[in-house]
Amino acid sequence: MSATTNTTTLISNLGSLVTNDPSRGSGGPLGLVEDAAVVIEGDRIAWVGTAADAPAADTVHDAQGRAAIPGFVDSHSHLVFGGDRTQEFNARMSGRPYEAGGIRTTVAATRAATDEELAANLAKYLREALRQGTTTFETKSGYGLTVEDEARALRLASAQTSEVTYLGAHIVSPEYADDPAGYVDLVTGEMLDACAPYARWIDVFCEKGAFDGDQARAILTAGKAKGLLPRIHANQLSYGPGVQLAVELDAASADHCTHLTDADVDALAHGNTVATLLPGAEFSTRAQWPDARRLLDAGATVALSTDCNPGSSFTSSMPFCIALAVRDMGMTPDEALWSATAGGARALRRQDVGRIAVGARADLALLDAPSHVHLAYRPGVPLVAEVWRDGVRAV
């Protein structure tokens, strides 16, 4: 459909509007516009400014003084899985030992689930995220760990999003417990061949007990040779080579970044790799918080994401992660919102989402609040009143 035949919608009477366009408003990173309005044409933003200057449109939607923000960009999730790990979480929070297998528990449940069950589960959590303002999301495989199960996870995910990540290297498959080198060969060979057509990204869990630096390098390099772009689970549980490897390979994102040396922080500050912080994981495991303040002060680009998964961070709520980042990671409310929108877009190397600007995708969340600051100020309160995705009022 040509642009001339698209109908236009004016969203007017916005109390405040976060554009993430620093040329707007006071010139800060959020590009905040007061008494604002937005015109949508088709699935794109056609005009942004003050309500008094708004052009005519085919239809008008009254925002009733609500604040508006770009739709959240959740750049790290694990949503193709079966079962849950309620008993594991309950034991951990009760101070009891629990030896049911962690990720391997989910692997068994995922392998046993039908395609229909996995697809329904995925759709359920996507609806849940959408209601909370998430309009762009990435999701991974990693709970199949066989050629067939990894490929079907990515096939199901690719029906819902273009941001699909091949994570055959989540842990060493139980069948290869005594032959990790053989599993790396599988991940970089037959499994990669089967999975690459469904994925944009390749990821690896570079950590003690998972994959070391040399294995991670081999996996990401093989993925790049197949046209997949690298990202990496790095420095979550301990100091390690993950962040340095991410910057060296020009990975879009190094995710977790909890245990960083000064050299790691410097590498992130001077490279193109985004530091994606996942506070839901620290909340759910009572682990050490990532130091967002340290990264920001050094000049690194920071994203926030949910890490939604059934083991260590079973939340789909970006507002919750914003509140955690402000309360426990040293971020300001402005920084946390930027990281959950524009930062997530940077972590996916996207220009068309995470901002409200002419030509960007028409993805907005309207808040039952006068300011975006309320996302951190009123934690746990369902403030997202409306969600527009691709120019359509979806919530």
Side-chain angles (χ1 to χ4, degrees):
M1 181 182 290
S2 67
T4 56
T5 61
N6 282 333
T7 60
T8 56
T9 299
L10 169 64
I11 303 178
S12 193
N13 193 17
L14 290 167
S16 68
L17 171 67
V18 172
T19 67
N20 287 337
D21 179 355
S23 70
R24 297 277 179 185
S26 61
L30 293 189
L32 192 64
V33 181
E34 302 291 347
D35 300 317
V38 173
V39 174
I40 296 171
E41 184 172 7
D43 63 354
R44 300 284 157 168
I45 301 292
W47 181 90
V48 180
T50 60
D53 298 327
D58 297 315
T59 60
V60 177
H61 180 74
D62 184 355
Q64 301 176 15
R66 293 180 171 119
I69 61 173
F72 295 121
V73 180
D74 190 348
S75 61
H76 183 126
S77 73
H78 304 249
L79 296 179
V80 185
F81 65 87
D84 71 17
R85 277 146 63 189
T86 303
Q87 291 178 326
E88 176 185 326
F89 176 80
N90 191 34
R92 184 165 66 235
M93 293 299 110
S94 303
R96 300 194 307 269
Y98 184 79
E99 301 295 339
I103 291 172
R104 290 172 180 80
T105 304
T106 300
V107 169
T110 303
R111 290 177 177 180
T114 66
D115 286 12
E116 292 74 18
E117 288 168 339
L118 293 177
N121 207 41
L122 172 62
K124 177 177 71 173
Y125 294 117
L126 294 181
R127 289 192 301 270
E128 184 179 278
L130 180 65
R131 288 196 301 270
Q132 298 172 91
T134 298
T135 51
T136 302
F137 71 95
E138 177 270 1
T139 201
K140 310 175 192 297
S141 65
Y143 291 126
L145 309 185
T146 67
V147 172
E148 179 181 356
D149 285 303
E150 286 293 293
R152 74 161 176 158
L154 296 173
R155 174 172 51 80
L156 293 170
S158 66
Q160 300 289 342
T161 181
S162 60
E163 302 297 346
V164 177
T165 301
Y166 166 47
L167 182 60
H170 198 182
I171 59 169
V172 173
S173 171
E175 291 83 359
Y176 285 81
D178 297 324
D179 184 18
Y183 187 65
V184 172
D185 289 342
L186 181 68
V187 167
T188 57
E190 182 185 357
M191 187 183 286
L192 175 61
D193 291 340
C195 290
Y198 300 109
R200 181 184 180 205
W201 304 97
I202 185 166
D203 197 345
V204 57
F205 187 20
C206 184
E207 187 63 67
K208 293 175 183 175
F211 299 89
D212 65 24
D214 290 340
Q215 292 169 326
R217 183 192 305 278
I219 290 162
L220 296 179
T221 301
K224 289 181 75 171
K226 277 286 187 178
L228 301 183
L229 303 174
R231 49 202 320 109
I232 187 167
H233 285 61
N235 300 56
Q236 177 188 5
L237 305 176
S238 60
Y239 294 98
V243 164
Q244 296 289 337
L245 181 62
V247 175
E248 176 194 329
L249 296 180
D250 194 32
S253 183
D255 297 25
H256 288 289
C257 293
T258 306
H259 298 275
L260 301 179
T261 66
D262 288 345
D264 293 332
V265 174
D266 187 65
L268 289 166
H270 291 92
N272 297 318
T273 299
V274 173
T276 298
L277 308 184
L278 309 168
E282 282 72 35
F283 177 86
S284 296
T285 60
R286 292 178 175 155
Q288 174 184 324
W289 296 101
D291 189 347
R293 183 80 268 136
R294 181 184 178 201
L295 287 161
L296 291 165
D297 288 348
T301 300
V302 171
L304 286 177
S305 186
T306 63
D307 191 19
C308 188
N309 75 83
S312 61
S313 183
F314 205 3
T315 179
S316 59
S317 175
M318 290 290 277
F320 176 64
C321 291
I322 286 173
L324 292 179
V326 171
R327 168 62 177 80
D328 291 303
M329 288 162 45
M331 301 185 86
T332 69
D334 286 9
E335 289 167 340
L337 177 63
W338 189 94
S339 294
T341 51
R346 294 268 187 98
L348 295 174
R349 296 200 166 155
R350 295 277 293 271
Q351 299 278 334
D352 60 328
V353 296
R355 62 195 184 102
I356 299 174
V358 174
R361 236 172 59 180
D363 294 349
L364 306 86
L366 275 58
L367 309 178
D368 264 335
S371 166
H372 65 279
V373 177
H374 280 232
L375 291 166
Y377 180 38
R378 304 195 67 209
V381 177
L383 295 178
V384 176
E386 298 181 33
V387 182
W388 294 69
R389 183 172 61 181
D390 291 330
V392 176
R393 190 169 176 240
V395 175

